[in-house]
Amino acid sequence: MSSYMAVLRLPFAARTFAAALVGRLSYGTVFLSLTLALTSATGSVGRTGAVVAVFALVIAGLAPLRARLIDRHGARRVLIPLSLAYSGSLLGLAAATWRPGTPLWVLEGAAVAAGATAPPLGPTMRTLWRAMCGRDRALMQRAFSLDTVAEEVIGVSGPLLVGLLVLVVDPALGLVLSAGLVAVGTVAMMASPVVGTAAAGRPRGSAEQQEPQEPQERREQPAPAPRAGLFRRRGLRTDRTASQRPLARILEPVVAATGVGLGLGAQNLVIVAFAVQRHQTSAIAWAEAGMSVGSIVGGLVYGAVTWSAPARTRLPLLTAALGLCVAATGLAPNVWALTTATTVTGLFMSPLMACAYLVADELAAEDARTAAGAWVNNAFNAGSSGGYAAMGTALARLPLGWCFAVAAAPMLVAAGVARAWQPRVKEAAPAPEAGVDVAEAVPVAVQ
């Protein structure tokens, strides 16, 4: 635990992280709040599902774009307007669901507005962690592990908070709570001094982060060729080829996150079938609780250990281990064995995501780190939805035990792809520009 205290003792780390968690708690409360408010207002599960699906799809579809805006224009300029617009959209949804009779198109329009403006607080916080940790990769691993565990806790506590809230007030007030959390948390997070000194997400030549002046001899060199200038305007290095664009650079963690999302999404539906087949629906809650507990414990242990193998080596190993655990879950004969199996599976969940974020940070270009984290997060979420949807066909044709093996297959394939891609990325990585140490581009400590 002392290793995590070292993370929180970094200048301004505790206050920045606390503010970010307040804002991110909104994502733990908003989906259940929206579902309950819509069900109460429309009286239709079908309409509720349509609006929630629109909300989730727009959030996922535009997440990389919002993160890229932060990389180009800075966190304060982007996140504060986004958070205020998002809060206003949630308040509009709360007003629309307060009384029955609101047309479906109005609800969907408000959901689109909210999804389009949802601020990427998680990717931004990980970018700030990098700025605070500087070149200390071990410290950054602990910071990312702590961050991932906190996300897991939010995923569990958010719905519980909403469940308690709706016992005494209208479900629409859950949307009001979500709006307040994200507005207060984002503004407090952006008030932290570390935001103004973080190199990632700061456009070159801005007032807050000026590049060092080049020697006169270098400034008088001829201008680069037009093609190089085009790439530099896009925020890419001048020596990149088409195959070295930002998404290609972070293919390893994106593929791993996609495979894990597919597998865990599929496993969730198989667990539901397992519980229904045995007439023990409580097994669903026990299995999910076991997964969460395992993930929290695994993340805390993983972050506290100093690993000799680099993160890029650990990533495919963690992905394969998670896949093997999911496959082994198919051997569970009863609810208690199932819960034990999901708890063991959870031990690898937070470590894998923390490692994926760390690898994405290592491989991404200096001015695309927030977007890299958003791509990893989005890949997991999209994979989870796709795996849940696709598993229905397998459940209809295969024995239940084999369905767990099917759920594990995307993870094992992703582990192989991530491992096979490593030499290609290593060879393609551009050399640092003359006279510039890339690792020094981020300040080691905040003044």
Side-chain angles (χ1 to χ4, degrees):
M1 191 60 67
S2 60
S3 61
Y4 291 108
M5 292 305 299
V7 172
L8 295 175
R9 281 196 294 265
L10 290 169
F12 309 113
R15 61 175 280 189
T16 306
F17 188 42
L21 290 181
V22 171
R24 292 158 78 178
L25 181 58
S26 172
Y27 293 112
T29 60
V30 69
F31 281 96
L32 182 57
S33 296
L34 182 58
T35 300
L36 295 176
L38 288 168
T39 303
S40 176
T42 65
S44 169
V45 175
R47 289 187 175 186
T48 297
V51 177
V52 174
V54 166
F55 177 62
L57 286 173
V58 175
I59 287 180
L62 296 181
L65 174 60
R66 292 190 295 267
R68 189 59 179 156
L69 288 173
I70 292 173
D71 282 326
R72 291 194 174 190
H73 302 291
R76 285 187 178 131
R77 292 181 179 180
V78 177
L79 274 184
I80 291 179
L82 280 180
S83 67
L84 296 179
Y86 177 69
S87 298
S89 299
L90 291 183
L91 292 175
L93 276 168
T97 57
W98 193 269
R99 293 284 186 269
T102 304
L104 181 61
W105 66 268
V106 173
L107 297 173
E108 290 181 339
V112 168
T117 54
L121 300 180
T124 303
M125 186 64 228
R126 284 183 284 272
T127 300
L128 297 179
W129 279 127
R130 181 182 184 275
M132 289 184 282
C133 294
R135 300 180 64 182
D136 192 333
R137 304 304 294 180
L139 195 62
M140 194 183 304
Q141 174 188 295
R142 297 185 194 116
F144 279 20
S145 296
L146 181 64
D147 194 274
T148 305
V149 167
E151 282 190 337
E152 187 70 42
V153 173
I154 285 173
V156 175
S157 60
L160 291 177
L161 179 60
V162 174
L164 294 174
L165 185 67
V166 298
L167 291 176
V168 294
V169 297
D170 190 280
L173 286 179
L175 294 173
V176 176
L177 172 65
S178 302
L181 287 171
V182 76
V184 172
T186 303
V187 172
M189 179 183 176
M190 292 300 99
S192 170
V194 73
V195 176
T197 58
R202 186 66 52 212
R204 295 188 175 185
S206 68
E208 293 177 300
Q209 175 103 12
Q210 293 288 346
E211 286 187 345
Q213 291 293 322
E214 294 183 324
Q216 182 67 25
E217 295 79 16
R218 294 185 62 184
R219 293 203 303 270
E220 292 177 353
Q221 290 177 353
R227 182 173 176 80
L230 174 62
F231 275 95
R232 184 168 295 280
R233 283 197 299 272
R234 290 180 179 175
L236 304 177
R237 291 186 181 273
T238 59
D239 56 353
R240 281 188 196 155
T241 63
S243 65
Q244 293 172 281
R245 292 194 176 102
L247 186 55
R249 290 172 64 89
I250 59 169
L251 184 67
E252 293 168 46
V254 168
V255 167
T258 303
V260 170
L262 284 167
L264 293 182
Q267 184 196 40
N268 288 340
L269 189 59
V270 181
I271 289 173
V272 172
F274 182 99
V276 171
Q277 187 181 80
R278 288 163 174 75
H279 305 288
Q280 293 179 289
T281 54
S282 61
I284 302 171
W286 283 109
E288 290 184 352
M291 178 78 80
S292 298
V293 170
S295 183
I296 292 170
V297 172
L300 290 174
V301 172
Y302 173 81
V305 173
T306 300
W307 302 94
S308 57
R312 291 180 66 189
T313 300
R314 298 195 301 268
L315 180 61
L317 295 177
L318 287 168
T319 307
L322 187 61
L324 292 174
C325 288
V326 171
T329 306
L331 302 175
N334 53 51
V335 171
W336 302 115
L338 177 74
T339 302
T340 301
T342 57
T343 302
V344 174
T345 301
L347 290 174
F348 296 95
M349 183 60 219
S350 282
L352 188 147
M353 292 306 296
C355 188
Y357 290 131
L358 190 62
V359 172
D361 182 85
E362 290 177 358
L363 297 179
E366 284 291 326
D367 57 354
R369 296 187 185 276
T370 308
W375 274 112
V376 173
N377 190 67
N378 221 35
F380 175 81
N381 291 334
S384 181
S385 300
Y388 195 93
M391 180 48 67
T393 302
L395 284 171
R397 302 187 180 188
L398 295 174
L400 203 57
W402 282 102
C403 289
F404 282 101
V406 171
M411 304 185 192
L412 299 177
V413 171
V417 171
R419 180 65 185 89
W421 186 256
Q422 287 183 11
R424 296 180 62 187
V425 175
K426 185 176 181 180
E427 293 168 4
E433 296 179 11
V436 177
D437 183 352
V438 174
E440 294 286 350
V442 178
V444 175
V446 179
Q447 299 301 321

